């Protein structure tokens, strides 16, 4: 769609552009009529049609030298675990506005519900600005490592750009194009129908299990709205917190087969069967461990006041299903149970 309202077309630099979130930002920006340049190695996902690609390995010196003579209206930086990349971009690129994609992993307390971006205690930043996370040595970084690097990057951006910085801390980002997150298991499973194992309805203390997600397209739209308005500040990015049971029901209502029958599995039975929480092989996706209850029930009222808009979860589920079916759904899920694993679990419960 064209740029709406008072927002003029932007000369936009996306540091990324082929990944899940950065690709969604680039695609939305092109759709709005912005002039979009993406910096990426060009070996990952597909660049959105209409964007131009600057091939660069940001781990090499002077990778951004070609941008030295260009001024951008706005930059969206999505570096994951490399503080040196962020610092080099801040030195090499001239821009009127800077968005940094951080994470709710920067918060120290992931247990307590209802925390806000402006009040929650943060993890300390990493003191060594040469630190770069190496996924070859540690394919699954701890929250302390991931959050620490992200927070150090945030501080570098704010120090360099001042009131021109918009720092956004997404929670669980879902939507079409995501091949690794736990959400995508459910639209495919519920569309298949039949007796379906789902997480228990409540925690051991009787409290409803929490869920909180944001569609990648809504996140991308908000980032671009804020860039167009030259907005600054630090915000969480997530939908309203809801009971996990309600979120799964909304997915079922949107894409579930007529034969679908949801069977909540008690936590004790899941643990006995060796089923993991949250994500990964042989897991029941979105079943949150206690350590994530606070991270999945954050107070995001300030983000809504700042213009974040969230579509219904059922709409996201339908888009994820179309995306997964279009790209082949027969592979073993990155997160979730195989049909054989689920059948064994259900048999243990008498189903």
């Amino acid at each position: 769609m064209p740029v709406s309202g008072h927002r003029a077309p932007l000369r936009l630099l996306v540091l990324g552009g082929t990944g899940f979130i950065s690709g969604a930002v680039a695609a939305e920006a092109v759709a709005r009529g912005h002039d979009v340049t993406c910096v990426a190695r060009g070996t990952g996902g597909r660049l959105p049609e209409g964007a131009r690609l600057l091939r660069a390995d940001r781990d090499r010196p002077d990778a951004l030298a070609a941008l030295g003579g260009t001024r951008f209206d706005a930059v969206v930086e999505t570096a994951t675990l490399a503080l040196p990349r962020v610092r080099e971009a801040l030195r090499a690129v001239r821009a009127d506005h800077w968005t940094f994609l951080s994470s709710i992993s920067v918060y120290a307390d992931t247990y307590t519900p209802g925390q806000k971006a402006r009040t929650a205690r943060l993890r300390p930043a990493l003191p060594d600005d040469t630190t770069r996370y190496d996924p070859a040595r540690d394919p699954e970084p701890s929250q302390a490592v991931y959050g620490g690097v992200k927070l150090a990057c945030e501080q570098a951006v704010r120090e360099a750009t001042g009131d021109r910085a918009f720092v956004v801390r997404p929670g669980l980002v879902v939507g079409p194009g995501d091949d690794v997150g736990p959400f995508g298991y459910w639209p495919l499973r519920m569309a298949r129908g039949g007796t379906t194992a789902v997480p228990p309805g409540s925690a051991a203390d009787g409290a409803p299990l929490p869920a909180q997600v944001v569609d990648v397209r809504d996140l991308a739209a908000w980032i671009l709205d804020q860039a167009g308005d030259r907005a600054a500040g630090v915000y969480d990015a997530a939908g309203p917190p809801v009971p996990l049971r309600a979120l799964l029901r909304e997915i079922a209502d949107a894409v579930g087969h007529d034969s679908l029958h949801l069977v909540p599995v008690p936590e004790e039975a899941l643990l006995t069967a060796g089923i993991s929480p949250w994500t990964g092989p042989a897991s029941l996706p979105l079943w949150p461990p206690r350590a994530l209850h606070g991270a999945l029930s954050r107070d995001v009222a300030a983000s809504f006041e700042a213009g974040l808009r969230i579509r219904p979860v059922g709409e996201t589920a339908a888009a994820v299903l179309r995306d997964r079916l279009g790209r082949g759904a027969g592979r073993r899920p990155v997160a979730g149970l195989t049909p054989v694993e689920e059948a064994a679990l259900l048999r243990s419960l008498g189903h």
Side-chain angles (χ1 to χ4, degrees):
M1 64 181 178
V3 177
S4 61
H6 65 281
R7 299 185 179 100
L10 299 173
R11 174 175 283 184
L12 179 71
L13 176 65
V14 179
L15 294 167
T18 59
F20 175 44
I21 298 178
S22 65
V25 171
E28 175 69 13
V30 169
R32 293 185 179 201
H34 297 315
D35 181 347
V36 182
T37 298
C38 298
V39 175
R41 288 189 299 268
T43 59
R46 186 172 62 183
L47 189 76
E49 186 175 352
R52 69 178 62 86
L53 175 64
L54 172 63
R55 292 182 183 274
D57 182 347
R58 294 180 64 191
D59 290 331
R60 297 189 175 186
D62 299 324
L64 303 179
L67 299 174
T70 305
R71 186 172 192 91
F72 293 91
D73 297 313
V75 171
V76 178
E77 166 68 281
T78 62
T80 301
L81 283 164
L83 179 58
R85 289 183 185 177
V86 173
R87 291 194 182 280
E88 175 59 26
L90 291 164
R91 287 192 292 265
V93 178
R94 296 185 300 159
D96 297 328
H97 186 266
W98 203 284
T99 295
F100 179 68
L101 191 77
S102 187
S103 168
I104 60 167
S105 292
V106 301
Y107 297 114
D109 181 359
T110 61
Y111 289 82
T112 306
Q115 297 181 81
K116 301 179 181 180
R118 299 181 188 278
T119 58
R121 185 165 58 92
L122 302 179
R123 289 189 175 275
L126 296 178
D128 181 2
D129 68 3
T130 65
T131 299
R132 183 180 185 279
Y133 168 73
D134 184 356
R137 291 200 304 264
D138 184 10
E140 295 186 4
S142 67
Q143 181 191 345
V145 171
Y146 184 82
V149 176
K150 280 290 192 182
L151 185 56
C153 293
E154 285 187 20
Q155 292 180 339
V157 169
R158 291 201 300 270
E159 288 170 3
T161 62
D163 61 2
R164 295 180 292 120
F166 175 59
V167 174
V168 56
R169 297 168 177 161
L172 177 60
V173 184
V174 303
D178 177 22
D179 288 323
V180 299
F183 181 91
Y185 169 83
W186 290 111
L188 280 171
R189 178 62 193 91
M190 291 184 178
R192 199 167 77 237
T195 304
T196 302
V198 298
S202 59
D205 61 2
L209 292 175
Q212 194 170 32
V213 302
V214 59
D215 189 297
V216 68
R217 297 165 295 177
D218 298 332
L219 175 60
W222 189 43
I223 286 172
L224 292 170
D225 288 346
Q226 299 297 84
D229 289 342
R230 307 296 194 271
V234 180
Y235 295 90
D236 290 339
V242 297
L244 177 57
R245 176 179 289 178
L247 181 138
L248 293 176
R249 173 47 60 187
E250 192 169 348
I251 296 173
D253 290 344
V255 301
H257 189 274
D258 289 345
S259 65
L260 182 66
H261 173 55
L262 304 183
V263 177
V265 182
E267 180 174 306
E268 182 178 350
L270 292 171
L271 295 174
T272 299
I275 306 301
S276 300
W278 190 244
T279 193
S283 68
L284 207 52
L286 301 182
W287 168 37
R290 182 66 187 88
L292 288 182
H293 284 200
L296 295 169
S297 51
R298 296 191 62 81
D299 182 345
V300 289
S303 302
F304 295 150
E305 292 172 3
L308 176 62
R309 296 292 178 264
I310 300 295
R311 72 190 67 206
V313 169
E315 184 178 326
T316 299
V320 168
L321 180 62
R322 290 192 299 270
D323 175 62
R324 289 291 184 96
L325 292 177
R327 294 186 292 121
R331 298 167 294 173
R332 178 185 174 96
V334 175
L337 303 174
T338 66
V340 172
E341 290 166 343
E342 185 184 32
L345 176 62
L346 290 169
R347 280 197 304 273
S348 72
L349 299 172
H351 291 276

